[in-house]
Each structure stands twice: as C-alpha cells, then as structure tokens.
Amino acid sequence: MVNPYLPQESIIEEVIPETPTIKTFVLRPENGLKFSTGQFIELTVPGVGEAPFTPSSSPFQTEKVEITVMDVGHVTHRLHQMREGDRVGIRGPYGRGYPLEEFYNKEVLVLGGGVGFAPLRSLLFTLLHDLSKYKRVVLCYGAKTPADIVYKGLIPQWREKIEVLCSVDRADETWKEHEGVVTTLLDKFEIDIKNSVAVVCGPPVMMKFATFKLLDLGYRPEDIYLSMERKMYCGIGQCRHCMIGGLFVCKDGPVFTYSQVKELPDIWA
Amino acid sequence: MDKDRCFWVGSAEWGDFLGRLVGEASVYALGGEGGRFFYRQLIRKDIGDIVYNPVRAVQPLKSFIFSPREEVVGPSDREGRKQTIIVGVKACDISSLEILDRALKETDLPDPVYQERRQRIVLISSDCSEPQETCFCTLVGRAPYPESGFDLNLSKVDGGFVVAVGSERGAELVDSHRSLFREATAEEIARRDRDRGDILRRVDRINESVAQKRSYQEIVKDSYSSELWVKHSESCVECTACNNICPTCHCYLLDDVSGAEGFVKVRSWDSCVHTGYARVAGGLNPRPHLWERFRNRYLCKFLYMKENFGLLGCTGCGRCIEACQGKIDMREVLQELAG
C-alpha cells in the first residue's frame, strides 16, 4: 500500500541567500521530482515538521527542485539553520498548477510581491521555455525595500527577453526604478486586457489590492489567477485545514481564478 | 449465501455465537446504564450483560478506526492484526462511516492506517429502542435503524433478534455458525418493521418543536451574514468537545517526532474551534474571532461536507449537544437561524 505521508529523502545541495530573511534551497530528491509549474510540495524538516512550498525552479529540471523560503515560522526557521548536505523530506507534488493552455496566444501579466515571486519564477522559467506560445509576457515585481528583492541576478537576464518592471515600497539612494506598491506599476504601461491573463502571487494584502486593481482595469474575474495561501498539513485533501469554503487549496488549488473564489468566505486572510 | 437475507436467533444462541467470536477476534459491545453506554472489550462472562438496543454509545465509532493520535509513518507494524467486531453500533454511527470513508479511504491517496483499520472492522449494528432528548437523526434525513453499511443488524423481537445480513462478510458469519440461526418469518420481520416505525415517530416527537421546513443546508447557506452567530457562540468556551465527540469530524494535523530514526509522522485530531486551527506562519488567521470559527463548523457540516462528499456532515447523533459545556444545542441554533 502506498503511504502518501511518507516523504522522499532529499539532500540540500545548495543554500542561496536571497535577502536577509529569504533563502533558496536547492534540493536533490532521491528519485527526482516531476511536477507541473504551480504545483506544490510538502517539505519535512526531520523531527520538526512539514510545510508546503511551491517549487521556484523549472519543471524541466527534475533531478533537482528549488524552493525559496522566508524565515517566518517554526519549520522555516529551522530550515534556515540547515546547510548543504543536510537531509530533508519531500512529499508531492500536489494540487493543480498553472493551466498554461489558457495562457497561449495571450498577453500574460505576471504580478509578484516579496517571496511570492517563488512560484512565479517557476512559471516564468516555463513561459520562457517556449515564449512563442504567448503573445507577450510582462513581469511586475514589488518588494518592501531594495534589500528585499529576490533573484537579483536573474532579473537583468530576463529583461533581455520579456518586459520587467520593478518597484519597492520604500526606495533608498541606490534605487533607480519605481517607488510605490507593486500595483502602481500597472499604470505605467498599456496591455490588451481583453486578450490578457493576470497571474498574481504575493502576501494576501497584496493579492487583494492587486485583484481589485486588475478588476478596475477591466480584467474579468476568470482571467485573474491567484495562488491562495492556507494552513496546510496533509496536502492531499483530507485534513481540511486549507479549506476556503468547500474548496481544498491543496487539491482544487493552490492556483484559483478569482471567479472560483470570489463568493467564498475569508479569502484574503 | 445472499446478503439482504433475514434470520432469527434466540438470545441464548446469540450468546453462544458471540462466545465463539470472542475467541477469534477482538469483540466490543455496549455496556452501561442510565442512558450512557460505552463500548467495552467483551469477555465471555459479560456476554449476558451486553446492552443491545437502547441508544448510541457515548464514544463515537471513529475512535476505533481513526485514533486521536497515531503514527502514520514510522516503524509500527500493522500486519497480522485480528478482526475487530463491534456489537451494538447505531445507525447514526454507521452513517458517520460513510463520511469518513469518502474523506479518508475513497480518495486518490487513501490514508493507509484508516484503510487498514477499516478493513478489519466488522459491524454488528442494532436498532435504537430508547432515543434520547438529544437524538435528531430524522432531522438530517436519517433513521434510528440502519438500512445499509452494516455486516449484520440486530432487531430485538420476541426473546431473540431478527438478524439482517448487510454484507458478504455478514453472510459468512451467519453461514459459519448456521445451526444457531433460522430464517426469520414474515411475522417477525413485520414486527421489526412496526417497532421501527414506532421509534421513528418517537424521534420525530422529540424534535417536534425544532423541526424545520427548509433543509439545514439551505438555512446555513442563507445565514452566512446573520448576526445570530455572535449571539449563539457567546456561551462557547472553546473546549472543542463538539469536534472530538463528533463521529464525522476528522480534521487532523501531522507532527514529526523529534529524535526519531528516519521519518516518523504522527497524525492527531485537530479542532476547527481552536484559535490557531487555520493560522499560518506569520500570524494571519482567516477566522480570528470565535464566532467565525463557530459559524465555520456549521458551514462545514451542512454545506462544505455536502459539497465534498454528497452527504451532510451531521448524522443527528446529538453528541455535540450532550457534550457542550455552554449548553449550545445545534437544533436550536439552526431553528433561530431559520427565523
């Protein structure tokens, strides 16, 4: 009998500091990991606990999987103390990722905030893998301060292939780009809204105001894709902690269109 | 032997039958008095004291299959365990297994411990004869006697039992002790059905003043914004007894055991009434107020589980009413919400 709770042994191959509170962990699972972009895994820190993360790496790379993690809770704090060579566990992948076919031939607006960039990096790797399938890709990314920006080395590379706009809530003397919350970037360019989808991931408050802004601009609720965050244990639709109304974030999500969740209670918590 | 057949067995022969089973399996049966009955492991000398009919046990049936706390990944060996035969299970608890089965077994990735325990359980149910003031199975579309989901069902008739066979396994049990049983007569079955009708009407009478025209599903759906949630949750002390005693509540959390060799995971019951139930790292909580968590429990039972499993998450067993420290009666809450 398959035991869905049993994790796969994985070795931490590399730890990449992104910001003072965010690190990317490169993991090598014993048997590799096949996943679709936007699906998530349950990561076990042995003896400590489990937490769900959406890989930030490309799904075309299956022998390694990367997660980008903020030191914010019990499990993530202990993970942040771990080093190369340490052992963790992985279960999954679980849930439904981004429905890429829905994005074909459209202008894809990717809107990220803070560590919410993690799943979007995986999505962008996927979009960049065959950019010809999409009419246009625009990335808008915001962080609190310049020091809080993740994947700093990657952004200039992407600028050569897609449009990238960055903002910080509070600029310093080094900052040459936009200052303001990430949604203010949406006033800086034109987009063919009727032929566009918006993909949003960030802290709940950012997702809330981004969604309202997108609706104001004329996006239809079914064209706004949100990564919902909830307390989660099992990852397989049983423990019920992640429920939003009658939907399981782990099984029916974690990616939902706004039209799927807009009538449900407490979606922005 | 076909299932759906009915036999008759005398009380003494039934005792012999159980005596034989006690040697082969772990047998549990109801004992107790004053309307409070508990499942107890059966030993031969207690066979004469078993309480068959009155009403459901204090413990929910889930405690046999879905333990409050157990290892789901780790060294424990579950091979070669004996069958567990439970005698005197009531219809409301049989119904609860429909929910638990759909949640934990009939899924893409079944819970292996639940599956293994479930497979070892043999259910010998019996009709209710003494419904309590807290019983309301008929308000949630169920009855005080089981119609399916059991292996054997007992209905007390004339110094013995009409034994209904509900599964292949039940048929085998009768088959292997066939000399103790005889076919039930039409009169015996008619007598059982009359008794059942009487009990059904008694449950209806108990709930006469709280019965609603609209379904609980509709009432809860239309009451989302009601101010009554605050009022009704005022006496809730967050003891979570309602969650723990509920036969269909199955929310759980997973813990990793520290200092263990390899991965060891323990699954424990959790309660949606707890403040921290849905709180995420960083402190955000979709339901920070007690009344929101209180409301969520009703939404889960009457709306979400119906969406998830096609069944209401409430079997009308009334345990939550009996267990509540704040004297909250689900039926009265729903009645007020209905307006």
Side-chain angles (χ1 to χ4, degrees):
Chain A
M1 197 186 302
V2 179
N3 189 337
Y5 302 119
L6 178 67
Q8 182 186 169
E9 286 260 1
S10 308
I11 300 294
I12 299 178
E13 195 165 278
E14 195 185 347
V15 181
I16 305 162
E18 301 281 356
T19 78
T21 56
I22 299 170
K23 288 177 180 173
T24 293
F25 296 84
V26 182
L27 311 173
R28 185 178 283 276
E30 221 170 24
N31 305 309
L33 187 85
K34 279 191 186 147
F35 66 97
S36 320
T37 185
Q39 283 192 297
F40 71 95
I41 58 159
E42 282 282 353
L43 180 98
T44 298
V45 176
V48 177
E50 258 184 333
F53 300 100
T54 299
S56 55
S57 50
S58 166
F60 298 101
Q61 166 193 291
T62 56
E63 76 283 8
K64 286 190 279 189
V65 57
E66 296 173 34
I67 53 172
T68 302
V69 179
M70 184 184 261
D71 178 358
V72 68
H74 180 59
V75 174
T76 55
H77 186 64
R78 292 291 288 274
L79 182 64
H80 265 245
Q81 296 166 343
M82 296 181 87
R83 297 181 185 180
E84 286 157 22
D86 284 348
R87 192 178 60 96
V88 293
I90 286 179
R91 294 194 288 129
Y94 297 131
R96 301 185 198 188
Y98 294 108
L100 294 170
E101 301 77 31
E102 302 289 328
F103 303 173
Y104 289 170
N105 304 313
K106 290 188 180 156
E107 301 196 8
V108 183
L109 172 63
V110 178
L111 204 57
V115 75
F117 201 169
L120 300 176
R121 186 177 76 155
S122 175
L123 172 67
L124 285 161
F125 280 138
T126 313
L127 300 178
L128 287 163
H129 186 78
D130 191 354
L131 209 49
S132 66
K133 284 187 174 142
Y134 314 94
K135 195 162 172 240
R136 179 186 175 198
V137 175
V138 186
L139 165 65
C140 295
Y141 175 61
K144 276 186 188 148
T145 71
D148 295 308
I149 289 181
V150 293
Y151 314 137
K152 291 186 189 75
L154 208 52
I155 291 170
Q157 295 174 32
W158 283 351
R159 285 214 150 101
E160 292 166 17
K161 296 172 189 149
I162 57 170
E163 296 157 68
V164 179
L165 291 88
C166 291
S167 73
V168 292
D169 298 354
R170 287 189 311 280
D172 61 16
E173 61 286 353
T174 65
W175 187 249
K176 305 276 190 298
E177 295 183 60
H178 187 72
E179 181 175 3
V181 291
V182 64
T183 47
T184 57
L185 289 173
L186 297 174
D187 298 322
K188 292 170 66 81
F189 59 94
E190 293 293 317
I191 193 157
D192 178 11
I193 285 161
K194 291 282 161 263
N195 189 39
S196 173
V197 292
V199 185
V200 188
C201 187
V205 65
M206 172 266 177
M207 294 220 292
K208 175 177 176 178
F209 288 104
T211 300
F212 293 164
K213 176 80 180 181
L214 291 165
L215 291 169
D216 273 353
L217 289 172
Y219 276 89
R220 295 178 307 173
E222 57 269 37
D223 291 329
I224 302 172
Y225 292 85
L226 305 168
S227 291
M228 302 308 287
E229 183 193 47
R230 273 296 186 275
K231 179 76 182 170
M232 211 179 266
Y233 285 97
C234 71
I236 54 177
Q238 295 180 1
C239 81
R240 297 185 85 79
H241 282 77
C242 70
M243 295 194 78
I244 301 181
L247 296 176
F248 292 89
V249 170
C250 65
K251 211 167 69 172
D252 302 313
V255 178
F256 293 95
T257 64
Y258 181 58
S259 57
Q260 283 178 285
V261 296
K262 67 185 166 82
E263 304 296 337
L264 300 178
D266 328 309
I267 60 173
W268 304 119
Chain B
M1 185 183 294
D2 298 334
K3 64 190 197 79
D4 303 326
R5 288 174 78 189
C6 273
F7 293 89
W8 190 88
V9 63
S11 294
E13 289 77 17
W14 178 256
D16 288 348
F17 174 69
L18 284 184
R20 296 185 197 176
L21 295 183
V22 166
E24 300 162 11
S26 306
V27 182
Y28 290 81
L30 290 182
E33 53 195 23
R36 292 175 64 77
F37 305 103
F38 294 87
Y39 293 114
R40 291 170 182 163
Q41 184 147 21
L42 189 65
I43 49 174
R44 281 202 182 88
K45 77 170 180 56
D46 291 344
I47 287 175
D49 301 330
I50 295 177
V51 183
Y52 286 95
N53 288 47
V55 73
R56 55 149 182 82
V58 171
Q59 309 105 297
L61 188 58
K62 70 177 177 185
S63 46
F64 284 99
I65 314 169
F66 184 68
S67 292
R69 186 175 162 80
E70 69 187 324
E71 274 180 17
V72 288
V73 173
S76 59
D77 179 18
R78 347 200 100 261
E79 293 298 309
R81 298 196 181 187
K82 281 203 258 185
Q83 277 196 332
T84 303
I85 300 176
I86 310 175
V87 183
V89 177
K90 293 297 175 286
C92 49
D93 275 0
I94 299 267
S95 307
S96 74
L97 289 193
E98 290 179 53
I99 293 280
L100 297 181
D101 283 353
R102 287 178 202 198
L104 301 167
K105 190 164 75 88
E106 292 153 19
T107 69
D108 299 341
L109 295 167
D111 181 298
V113 178
Y114 179 88
Q115 206 173 15
E116 187 269 337
R117 283 182 191 273
R118 178 73 173 91
Q119 189 263 324
R120 269 193 295 121
I121 291 271
V122 178
L123 297 167
I124 301 182
S125 52
S126 59
D127 298 355
C128 291
S129 63
E130 294 293 331
Q132 299 179 152
E133 284 304 303
T134 50
C135 288
F136 64 101
C137 56
T138 57
L139 296 188
V140 289
R142 301 176 195 261
Y145 46 84
E147 284 160 303
S148 61
F150 53 84
D151 295 298
L152 293 177
N153 182 68
L154 306 176
S155 311
K156 229 174 201 168
V157 172
D158 298 335
F161 302 99
V162 168
V163 182
V165 176
S167 72
E168 286 304 323
R169 196 151 51 175
E172 281 163 27
L173 271 178
V174 173
D175 236 3
S176 49
H177 306 272
R178 186 66 179 82
S179 62
L180 302 173
F181 298 82
R182 65 162 169 76
E183 301 267 334
T185 63
E187 291 74 45
E188 284 158 351
I189 293 172
R191 172 71 192 280
R192 175 196 72 177
D193 293 346
R194 265 202 315 280
D195 288 350
R196 285 181 164 185
D198 289 346
I199 299 302
L200 193 75
R201 281 186 290 279
R202 269 174 70 184
V203 179
D204 277 339
R205 270 201 305 281
I206 288 169
N207 293 291
E208 227 159 18
S209 65
V210 287
Q212 297 302 315
K213 283 201 179 65
R214 282 192 299 154
S215 73
Y216 281 166
Q217 194 184 0
E218 272 177 72
I219 292 168
V220 169
K221 196 172 196 168
D222 295 344
S223 307
Y224 184 76
S225 310
S226 170
E227 287 166 12
L228 290 169
W229 296 113
V230 176
K231 178 191 150 188
H232 287 294
S233 60
E234 264 166 8
S235 66
C236 173
V237 294
E238 301 182 59
C239 71
T240 70
C242 53
N243 291 128
N244 292 319
I245 205 79
C246 176
T248 73
C249 271
H250 58 273
C251 283
Y252 64 81
L253 40 84
L254 290 171
D255 281 314
D256 282 73
V257 176
S258 62
E261 277 285 311
F263 299 111
V264 180
K265 288 188 191 294
V266 173
R267 144 155 89 37
S268 334
W269 291 357
D270 198 6
S271 304
C272 60
V273 175
H274 277 313
T275 325
Y277 174 85
R279 186 172 52 211
V280 295
L284 278 180
N285 189 342
R287 295 182 290 277
H289 301 105
L290 173 58
W291 67 268
E292 294 166 312
R293 299 191 295 278
F294 181 86
R295 175 179 66 187
N296 182 67
R297 187 158 190 277
Y298 286 72
L299 289 164
C300 181
K301 293 287 170 210
F302 297 106
L303 269 186
Y304 305 158
M305 284 199 183
K306 179 84 178 165
E307 283 173 32
N308 300 150
F309 311 123
L311 294 165
L312 288 185
C314 175
T315 69
C317 74
R319 288 186 178 94
C320 58
I321 303 170
E322 194 177 72
C324 184
Q325 304 296 301
K327 296 194 167 24
I328 298 166
D329 187 326
M330 198 173 234
R331 296 169 296 186
E332 291 167 8
V333 174
L334 290 160
Q335 184 179 28
E336 275 205 48
L337 289 170

